[in-house]
Amino acid sequence: MLAICVPIMAIMPHGIDSLAVTAAVASHPLSREPMMRLPVSQWKPWQSALSVWKALFLREAMVRMFGSRVAWVWLVLEPVANVLWLILIFTVIRVRHVGGIETPLWIASGMLVFMTFRRTVSQVQNGVDANSSLFAYRQVRPADVVLVRSVVEGVTMLLISATVFAVGGMMGWMSWPASGWDVLEAFTLAWLCALGLGMIFGVLVKLVPETERIINFIMMPLMMISGVIFPLSLVQPPYLDWLLLNPVAHAIEASRVGFAPFYHSVAGLDLVYAYQCALVLLFLGLALFRRFNQRLVMQ
């Protein structure tokens, strides 16, 4: 997270006299005392940024969980339903193992990592429009909103995924991860790629609204070529080399290796390359948000 927070704080000079920020800090007595020793007008930029992020996080979490009567139900039901229908399809065609591991584990690990990516992209892409009223406070910048929305979505999907894997493990459908850190790294890598790509998409949609249809259209083909539904190891070169240009495919394969080191992963799995792609996407996203900050606020 430091790799994200530091450049964001560097490009966003926050103000320090918002009633919204004061209210957010006042609601947390543990953090209130050291900061309230100084007048609000003397807060440092990083103190203001943390207060804004805290207030936005609480707001986004409440909206995601309780925005409607069944908001939290759909939040959990969507990823679970996607995993179950794929398991049902593979069960009907009698495929019990894929790449040396159980089919439910292979499907769940790939689908949940990809859904973390897809839902984070969607939340970040639509973050500016959904929170446009907050830009009346000069402390709140578009980059603040999308960063917090991505964190809320990432934490939510991580909890849902952990629950799915835990229930599947207790019922004997899935095995426990051999390396929890490797699985967490795979989810984090997909999340980082989604944050950067979502910021790029968010700016493109603002500048050229027609691109939103194209972005929504490419998500299904992207799932197909990321190895969620069929093993990439079945693809022969040179087509496999083209598919491995997709960093999400590396994250999905890495999550399966984290569960079962004996999994027959695709040749060419390279997490260093995936991290490089994530950093490039984050840099481009932050650069676009800085370049078009005024337009994002005004439109």
Side-chain angles (χ1 to χ4, degrees):
M1 290 298 295
L2 289 177
I4 304 171
C5 296
V6 170
I8 290 178
M9 293 175 65
I11 67 173
M12 292 186 304
H14 286 77
I16 45 179
D17 57 352
S18 170
L19 293 177
V21 174
T22 305
V25 177
S27 63
H28 298 272
L30 294 178
S31 62
R32 176 184 178 184
E33 184 176 352
M35 295 182 63
M36 294 305 291
R37 291 175 183 173
L38 295 174
V40 176
S41 60
Q42 297 183 23
W43 283 6
K44 296 180 179 179
W46 67 267
Q47 292 175 315
S48 177
L50 289 178
S51 297
V52 169
W53 291 347
K54 185 185 299 182
L56 289 174
F57 184 89
L58 294 175
R59 178 182 183 274
E60 288 294 333
M62 293 296 292
V63 170
R64 291 287 288 159
M65 295 294 181
F66 308 106
S68 63
R69 292 183 180 180
V70 294
W72 65 272
V73 176
W74 177 248
L75 194 66
V76 177
L77 185 61
E78 183 187 8
V80 173
N82 277 276
V83 171
L84 289 179
W85 78 264
L86 276 180
I87 292 177
L88 178 62
I89 291 176
F90 277 74
T91 302
V92 170
I93 62 178
R94 299 181 182 275
V95 178
R96 297 184 178 180
H97 295 84
V98 180
I101 62 176
E102 298 84 354
T103 298
L105 176 58
W106 185 85
I107 291 173
S109 57
M111 178 60 75
L112 291 173
V113 170
F114 183 80
M115 289 203 67
T116 300
F117 169 81
R118 187 183 69 183
R119 287 171 55 155
T120 302
V121 168
S122 177
Q123 289 296 313
V124 173
Q125 175 186 331
N126 301 317
V128 175
D129 284 336
N131 295 273
S132 58
S133 60
L134 297 179
F135 299 145
Y137 298 100
R138 67 187 181 91
Q139 290 83 2
V140 182
R141 306 295 185 186
D144 291 324
V145 172
V146 298
L147 174 64
V148 172
R149 283 173 72 93
S150 68
V151 171
V152 171
E153 192 61 41
V155 172
T156 301
M157 280 303 302
L158 189 61
L159 293 176
I160 294 174
S161 301
T163 303
V164 171
F165 290 133
V167 173
M170 290 186 293
M171 297 183 68
W173 295 350
M174 308 175 190
S175 61
W176 299 99
S179 176
W181 288 111
D182 289 345
V183 176
L184 180 61
E185 181 183 22
F187 274 85
T188 303
L189 181 56
W191 177 80
L192 289 173
C193 292
L195 174 57
L197 191 62
M199 295 178 74
I200 295 173
F201 285 168
V203 174
L204 289 178
V205 169
K206 275 293 186 179
L207 298 179
V208 187
E210 292 76 13
T211 57
E212 185 173 7
R213 295 184 179 181
I214 300 176
I215 293 171
N216 294 332
F217 174 78
I218 65 175
M219 279 300 166
M220 180 57 72
L222 184 61
M223 183 176 70
M224 298 290 293
I225 65 175
S226 296
V228 177
I229 298 179
F230 68 91
L232 294 180
S233 56
L234 298 178
V235 182
Q236 299 298 320
Y239 307 107
L240 178 60
D241 298 333
W242 300 348
L243 296 182
L244 289 180
L245 294 176
N246 173 18
V248 182
H250 295 267
I252 291 174
E253 287 291 289
S255 70
R256 291 164 176 160
V257 174
F259 272 97
F262 53 84
Y263 169 66
H264 307 316
S265 61
V266 63
L269 175 61
D270 187 357
L271 290 184
V272 174
Y273 164 77
Y275 274 115
Q276 291 172 344
C277 291
L279 290 177
V280 170
L281 291 173
L282 286 170
F283 175 80
L284 291 176
L286 289 172
L288 288 173
F289 262 65
R290 181 176 176 84
R291 170 63 180 81
F292 297 102
N293 180 77
Q294 192 65 26
R295 184 174 298 187
L296 293 175
V297 172
M298 298 301 295
Q299 285 188 350

